[in-house]
Amino acid sequence: RAEETRHALRMACGNGLRPEVWEPFKRRFRIPRILEYYAATEGNFSLYNCEGEPGSIGRIPPFLSHRLPVALLRFDVDAERPLRNAAGFCERAAPDEIGEAVGAVSTEGGRTGRFEGYVDPDATQGKLLHDVFESGDSWYRTGDLMRRDQRGFYYFVDRVGETYRWKGENVSTTEVAAVVAAAPGVIDATVYGVAVANADGRAGMAALVTDADFDPARFHAHVAARLPAYARPCFLRLLSSIDSTATFKPRKQDLIAAGFDPGRIGDPLYFDDRRMGSYRRLDAAAHAAINAGDIRL
């Protein structure tokens, strides 16, 4: 409506604006400038995207890199820890390679690189990584997976523990959820990995809130055209609503625990039947066949 652009706004500032929303939001509501930032209350560094690069959470200018030592470490998704080489040290992720973001903990005075920790000493140690690039150094673990492009812009990918491994590939729940949420008939969505008997890794599952226009066949065509086979959700669960935390993040643990067992779930369930090339209803017989390996995902 015309009222959407009748304003004198000159900037929107915040964090968490999804990349696929960025440009449509800016155009529709005529926002001249979007400033995105990344920070955590207890963190020892922050990032700012003052340049308005769509989807980015920020960039560290070269002249400030010595003051803000931030690194992305190559990451082991299964172990949920940064990888270490034969010498026992971590390695920096290459451009556009996903890694965990860490910030060097300063041993000098001043506020740069400072990490005060928590009341619980064990919790404090759990956020620190030692002997990262050399003996004796300490780095603050953000618990966030990011990638950095050739120009130095950082992009949020997922939280550690959210990304799962399937068919030998790392799958970002955030990236899959962005595609799933844009499908016709989908109002809200969250994506997570579930264990499947006799299968390595975790299979993708999407919990969806849908409207009357949702059609499993059309949904299958949508994700098949936009996601590689290993990243497409193997299972769907249709809900009336998705519970969220006080900070508006979806509560996934109960969904993960329930898995795809129709004996525990009263909501409609579907699975990606690769033989038929479509999603079809998941009942007790299909659930048993999947666990027995008679139906392969």
Side-chain angles (χ1 to χ4, degrees):
R1 299 182 303 189
E3 289 83 0
E4 293 175 351
T5 58
R6 289 176 186 165
H7 59 73
L9 290 174
R10 59 186 178 84
M11 180 187 295
C13 177
N15 64 0
L17 183 60
R18 300 202 308 269
E20 72 276 8
V21 173
W22 189 299
E23 289 289 6
F25 175 80
K26 184 177 181 179
R27 286 194 303 269
R28 175 172 174 174
F29 297 102
R30 197 172 59 80
I31 308 296
R33 187 182 183 197
I34 293 178
L35 190 156
E36 178 87 354
Y37 70 90
Y38 168 86
T41 304
E42 75 278 27
N44 71 341
F45 74 89
S46 57
L47 298 169
Y48 294 89
N49 179 4
C50 300
E51 294 151 291
E53 181 68 20
S56 172
I57 57 175
R59 183 171 74 96
I60 299 174
F63 64 86
L64 286 178
S65 59
H66 68 289
R67 296 288 305 275
L68 295 169
V70 178
L72 299 187
L73 304 181
R74 298 188 64 208
F75 196 75
D76 184 336
V77 170
D78 293 328
E80 297 186 359
R81 300 285 296 180
L83 288 165
R84 290 187 181 267
N85 57 28
F89 296 115
C90 298
E91 298 180 346
R92 296 179 187 271
D96 288 318
E97 180 183 6
I98 296 172
E100 182 179 1
V102 295
V105 177
S106 175
T107 57
E108 303 173 356
R111 300 193 61 82
T112 302
R114 184 176 174 183
F115 176 56
E116 296 181 350
Y118 306 97
V119 175
D120 183 353
D122 291 336
T124 298
Q125 285 304 312
K127 293 293 286 186
L128 292 174
L129 200 61
H130 302 288
D131 304 326
V132 175
F133 297 118
E134 59 185 28
S135 298
D137 67 355
S138 296
W139 292 68
Y140 165 79
R141 294 189 66 188
T142 64
D144 290 327
L145 299 178
M146 303 180 189
R147 65 177 179 85
R148 184 178 60 242
D149 66 16
Q150 295 280 358
R151 296 178 298 159
F153 284 99
Y154 288 80
Y155 300 83
F156 178 83
V157 175
D158 224 337
R159 286 287 296 167
V160 168
E162 296 288 315
T163 293
Y164 58 89
R165 195 164 178 81
W166 180 246
K167 302 293 186 183
E169 301 283 352
N170 296 335
V171 182
S172 165
T173 60
T174 301
E175 293 177 351
V176 174
V179 172
V180 167
V186 175
I187 299 172
D188 197 7
T190 187
V191 175
Y192 47 98
V194 293
V196 179
N198 305 311
D200 291 331
R202 290 184 289 162
M205 186 165 185
L208 309 176
V209 178
T210 60
D211 60 23
D213 293 331
F214 179 76
D215 176 64
R218 187 164 56 159
F219 179 84
H220 188 276
H222 175 89
V223 297
R226 293 164 177 80
L227 292 171
Y230 66 82
R232 296 201 298 263
C234 294
F235 303 102
L236 305 179
R237 178 176 177 178
L238 306 190
L239 301 167
S240 58
S241 65
I242 296 174
D243 293 336
S244 60
T245 67
T247 54
F248 307 108
K249 294 181 175 64
R251 296 185 183 275
K252 295 187 181 183
Q253 290 308 312
D254 290 343
L255 297 172
I256 293 171
F260 59 100
D261 184 358
R264 300 179 58 184
I265 300 170
D267 304 310
L269 296 172
Y270 294 82
F271 75 98
D272 186 1
D273 189 337
R274 300 298 172 92
R275 297 172 300 182
M276 297 178 61
S278 65
Y279 285 101
R280 68 181 180 93
R281 287 296 293 264
L282 175 64
D283 54 20
H287 178 263
I290 290 171
N291 282 326
D294 297 330
I295 295 178
R296 301 186 65 81
L297 300 172

